[in-house]
Amino acid sequence: MSAGGFCKLPNGSVVVALTLPSPVESGGAVRMIVHAANRARALTRLRNLGLRAVYLRGNAEPPTPDEVTAVLHHPDGLIWRTAPNALEELWHPIRALRR
């Protein structure tokens, strides 16, 4: 089950944050942050990467201000790190998870 949320930016785009089960290690979770024009496009970006069953229901865990800043400063607009309490870990580009 994924938990997540979104926030709308002043320019009309959105930042979506999802906590998903880790595709690499069993029992772990990853926090994915996506910047896109709207919520549907953000989820489509994740589905195009092979995460087919990704849905955003509600706004229980919206992105924090630090997460929004991190994704806006990343050229791909799609980052991740292990969840839930990995405040010391740096953000990774999506290419690092797909390897």
Side-chain angles (χ1 to χ4, degrees):
M1 184 61 121
S2 65
F6 68 95
C7 69
K8 194 163 189 145
L9 301 177
N11 66 356
S13 63
V14 297
V15 174
V16 174
L18 292 168
T19 304
L20 305 169
S22 176
V24 179
E25 62 182 62
S26 61
V30 293
R31 179 85 166 163
M32 299 248 184
I33 311 296
V34 184
H35 178 238
N38 56 42
R39 283 182 288 175
R41 285 202 180 165
L43 296 176
T44 300
R45 289 186 71 188
L46 290 173
R47 289 181 186 131
N48 288 342
L49 293 170
L51 302 170
R52 298 288 182 216
V54 175
Y55 296 99
L56 182 63
R57 292 188 174 101
N59 201 13
E61 293 182 21
T64 64
D66 291 337
E67 292 173 336
V68 172
T69 302
V71 78
L72 290 178
H73 285 91
H74 196 275
D76 292 342
L78 182 64
I79 55 176
W80 70 276
R81 72 176 173 193
T82 56
N85 296 324
L87 298 176
E88 299 168 359
E89 183 182 359
L90 297 176
W91 289 99
H92 306 284
I94 194 64
R95 290 169 280 190
L97 186 63
R98 296 184 67 194
R99 289 184 199 160

